[in-house]
DNA sequence: AATGAATGAGTATTCATTCAT
DNA sequence: CATGAATGAATACTCATTCAT
């Protein structure tokens, strides 16, 4: 629960809040199914709201992406707080990250159009910040390569996303993501 | 047997053959710049041909992708032949693969819509075949993890593509690709 | 007899009356800035009231136009009464008319859609009536062409409005209106 | 016949040229009937062409206005040439101007949005230039007020347009225009 | 009553694809 | 064959109007 969330909870009427949530969930599903370029109409239809309502809440495609990411990022941050000081923080965060991607896939395309939505960059930055300390600790413990930089983290997100994207079924998506993480963590060497 | 048939390019009139080449090159550039979803108009314009000509040669977007990939795949196959029996074949092929992606980026989006173009699947299959023996040898030599399967190869292509896609400059693209390959080959462990 | 009735404004609650005035003023400004076709939303926003409130007071765009005109017409009528019997009544009324247009421009577009709002016709009729005696007197005095008919009066209003419309700055609007009136009063002859 | 016209005649295919003309004529009618803000769809429908065709020929509303004006302006220029040196040139041009307005009304709204289409300004400028010498001559002959400036000319166009705009029937439009010109030429004085 | 959320009809615009020249 | 004009389906977006709170 960050201040943003609280503010929104208080600002929007109950029905509006409900619609907002319906739209976000619909967008998650539609983007997952048809990619980030899917017709916004489809989102509105799936959410069971009119076009205008969609546009009122989210003036454009990117605002929608931001809203979806926002949820995920917040979760990462909470997790980072919960694992503060623990040696397995990095592992836990990484697992959570992959889990989000499995559930909100279709969105990494948005990430790479960051220029059109500075908020997306900001969210990515928050993820990086949440990872900072766990990464440092893992490196100190010698379980994570020392040369890992923050750009790598974003690239890892991209890589996992890329193997997931074309898969429709959530379970197979999870399997693909796990395999990709395995390759990444352990490398290709024999 | 229409002029579209790649393997019969010698049956095309000289100007038609020239147009075909112009279009492929234009497509490579346009897809790189604006993604695989770019307007085909843009391709025709860049190639300096009419729409009709574009459609005659390539009835749809995927045929175009096939033609571009075709070049790359053939190159991989030739390389495989050249490195036949050598211990460094896998390395060489992998490097070539990455190199193609650096130069024809924007196309992996096509790969993942393979269902709409069986030829793309076939091309991917050819890549896999070209890798088969080098992979086996590398595994035998103990320099490549033993559990690597052919799907992994495609996923590796996807992962490299994903970190490259958003980068416009070819040099920075190469750097990103190299870093991604480094992460992949050596893993994240400290 | 609803609260919309202008002549019964004393039956409105004080806050409702205040809202009504705010809306009219906002409409004057918005129509002036963006033309009579401006979004009613803009009017509501500028007035600082909700949409519903706007619609309660003014069920449509024309009702709003009527309310604005109403003020102006009443002023003309009062002026006509004040100048009753005077030789310069016509001059004074014409000057006042132009003055209103300078201040409430953007509205003559409404006038010409009179069919959709009979009240507008009625208001125009009241203007014509207010001018009737002054016109007759001016003609009798030989300072106004004898063939002027009431339709001419409306056309004169339109003509003045037309040269004013595209000008944003009120002072330049006044200058344009004055020049137009000069051309009209004195004609083009050398 | 200016170079522009000739160029177009030569550049466009016969069918395209025909469509272009159909669209212009349709636009003339639609704008006349529903104002310059009319749906472009209506223009396409009336011309009997698809949306895309309309947009190919005229990327936006203003390009369309320009094309319509272009015809009229060319006519004025030809007339100016034909009346070169004659004392009645001003009269003839003014009559022609009014005549065009009677036939292409609905367009002066476009003129006043000149900022969005510099070509419109340029066309207006051409009208002014065509009038320059006839105006000078008329002033010299003492039949036109000496203080008339070029801005007045545009204002006269606006004024005539304004009394015409709301009239649907072409004959009544002509009558209104004539009356307005009479008021303007002879003034309001008795 | 006042508010502002929701609705959906209307309009603009793009682009894949067909087809006349 | 090549060309580029025409088509219309798909999509985006706005705004007048209704209605739940």
């Amino acid at each position: 629960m960050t201040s943003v969330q609280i503010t929104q909870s208080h600002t929007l009427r109950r029905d509006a809040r409900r619609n907002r949530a319906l739209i976000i969930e619909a967008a998650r599903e539609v983007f997952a199914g048809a990619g980030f370029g899917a017709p916004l109409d489809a989102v509105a239809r799936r959410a069971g709201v009119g076009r205008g309502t969609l546009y009122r809440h989210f003036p454009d495609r990117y605002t929608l992406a931001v809203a979806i990411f926002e949820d995920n990022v917040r979760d990462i941050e909470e997790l980072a707080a919960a694992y503060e000081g623990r040696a397995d923080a990095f592992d836990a965060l990484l697992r959570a990250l992959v889990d989000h991607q499995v559930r909100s896939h279709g969105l990494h395309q948005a990430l790479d159009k960051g220029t059109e939505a500075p908020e997306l960059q900001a969210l990515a930055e928050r993820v990086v910040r949440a990872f900072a300390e766990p990464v440092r600790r893992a490196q100190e413990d010698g379980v994570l390569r020392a040369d890992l930089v923050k750009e790598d983290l974003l690239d890892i997100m991209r890589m996992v996303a890329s193997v997931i994207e074309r898969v429709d079924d959530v379970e197979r998506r999870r399997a693909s993501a796990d395999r990709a993480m395995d390759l990444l963590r352990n490398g290709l060497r024999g």
Side-chain angles (χ1 to χ4, degrees), chain A:
Chain A
M1 282 300 167
T2 76
S3 64
V4 172
Q5 179 65 5
I6 290 165
T7 304
Q8 287 172 350
S9 308
H10 284 338
T11 303
L12 291 178
R13 252 163 48 180
R14 184 200 307 260
D15 56 344
R17 210 156 64 232
R18 177 169 159 68
N19 270 343
R20 192 171 189 281
L22 283 174
I23 291 170
I24 290 178
E25 192 47 33
R28 210 188 286 270
E29 292 163 13
V30 168
F31 288 162
F36 182 56
L40 293 189
D41 247 44
V43 174
R45 215 172 319 117
R46 179 155 205 147
V49 304
R51 287 176 223 275
T53 303
L54 173 61
Y55 276 90
R56 157 189 290 275
H57 285 287
F58 305 100
D60 62 50
R61 193 178 293 286
Y62 293 99
T63 332
L64 214 35
V66 167
I68 299 176
F69 268 132
E70 172 79 25
D71 274 357
N72 297 351
V73 170
R74 194 162 33 230
D75 186 60
I76 294 285
E77 288 173 334
E78 287 171 10
L79 205 63
Y83 275 77
E84 175 142 29
R86 290 176 50 173
D88 57 350
F90 177 71
D91 269 13
L93 287 191
L94 204 51
R95 256 198 314 278
L97 202 53
V98 170
D99 192 55
H100 289 142
Q101 289 186 291
V102 167
R103 286 189 292 107
S104 338
H105 85 306
L107 275 182
H108 100 277
Q109 299 168 36
L111 245 197
D112 286 343
K113 308 234 173 104
T115 7
E116 318 193 27
E119 300 92 330
L120 285 174
Q121 299 291 28
L123 287 171
E125 200 50 50
R126 279 169 61 188
V127 172
V128 169
R129 263 203 302 280
F131 267 90
E133 180 53 24
V135 160
R136 206 198 50 71
R137 169 68 184 272
Q139 289 174 324
E140 191 179 280
D141 292 350
V143 296
L144 180 62
R145 50 192 289 172
D147 68 346
L148 200 86
V149 296
K150 70 171 202 175
E151 248 306 312
D152 291 333
L153 212 52
L154 297 176
D155 274 353
I156 290 169
M157 286 176 64
R158 289 190 184 97
M159 289 194 255
V160 171
S162 72
V163 301
I164 269 178
E165 205 136 351
R166 109 222 93 96
V167 184
D168 278 338
D169 172 60
V170 72
E171 275 322 314
R172 290 183 42 237
R173 218 144 68 212
R174 190 171 307 278
S176 290
D178 286 345
R179 175 63 177 171
M181 269 317 303
D182 184 336
L183 292 179
L184 261 170
R185 300 198 75 151
N186 300 315
L188 296 177
R189 283 186 299 208

